Amino acid sequence: METVDRVTTHDFGDGRGPVPAHQHPNGGGWVAESAFVHSSAYISEGAWIGGEARIGEGAWIGEWARIGEGARIGEGARIGERARIGEWARKGE
């Protein structure tokens, strides 16, 4: 994590380098500013949501899970620890 001029960045390991991101208040996992995570979703510590991913209401993302560019995780979906959800995948939508 790096903070420059009050902008927090995180390197998601996708070859894009550090991008604007924040830690989700419900769990502490990393979320790219370009992604959307519903406030009621739980993003476990060490997990990250990158790119244009969308995480629905009440979804649960396990520790160290990786949700890629454009993935859609629907309402109430559960993604296990260390899971990898690739680009443009859909779960529970």
Side-chain angles (χ1 to χ4, degrees), residues 30-72:
W30 283 97
V31 178
E33 292 297 333
S34 56
F36 170 79
V37 176
H38 194 278
S39 61
S40 68
Y42 183 83
I43 311 301
S44 297
E45 185 177 357
W48 59 252
I49 313 301
E52 303 278 327
R54 301 288 180 254
I55 309 298
E57 182 177 352
W60 183 89
I61 310 298
E63 287 187 36
W64 303 107
R66 304 291 186 249
I67 310 298
E69 173 78 35
R72 302 292 187 257

Side-chain angles (χ1 to χ4, degrees), residues 2-92:
E2 179 179 334
T3 301
V4 179
D5 294 329
R6 295 187 179 177
V7 174
T8 300
T9 62
H10 182 75
D11 189 341
F12 288 90
D14 58 5
R16 296 179 183 178
V19 298
H22 65 275
Q23 288 184 281
H24 196 270
N26 195 9
W30 283 97
V31 178
E33 292 297 333
S34 56
F36 170 79
V37 176
H38 194 278
S39 61
S40 68
Y42 183 83
I43 311 301
S44 297
E45 185 177 357
W48 59 252
I49 313 301
E52 303 278 327
R54 301 288 180 254
I55 309 298
E57 182 177 352
W60 183 89
I61 310 298
E63 287 187 36
W64 303 107
R66 304 291 186 249
I67 310 298
E69 173 78 35
R72 302 292 187 257
I73 307 300
E75 180 178 322
R78 293 186 57 86
I79 304 299
E81 294 179 3
R82 301 191 186 279
R84 301 292 187 264
I85 308 295
E87 295 182 9
W88 307 107
R90 303 285 188 266
K91 170 70 176 153

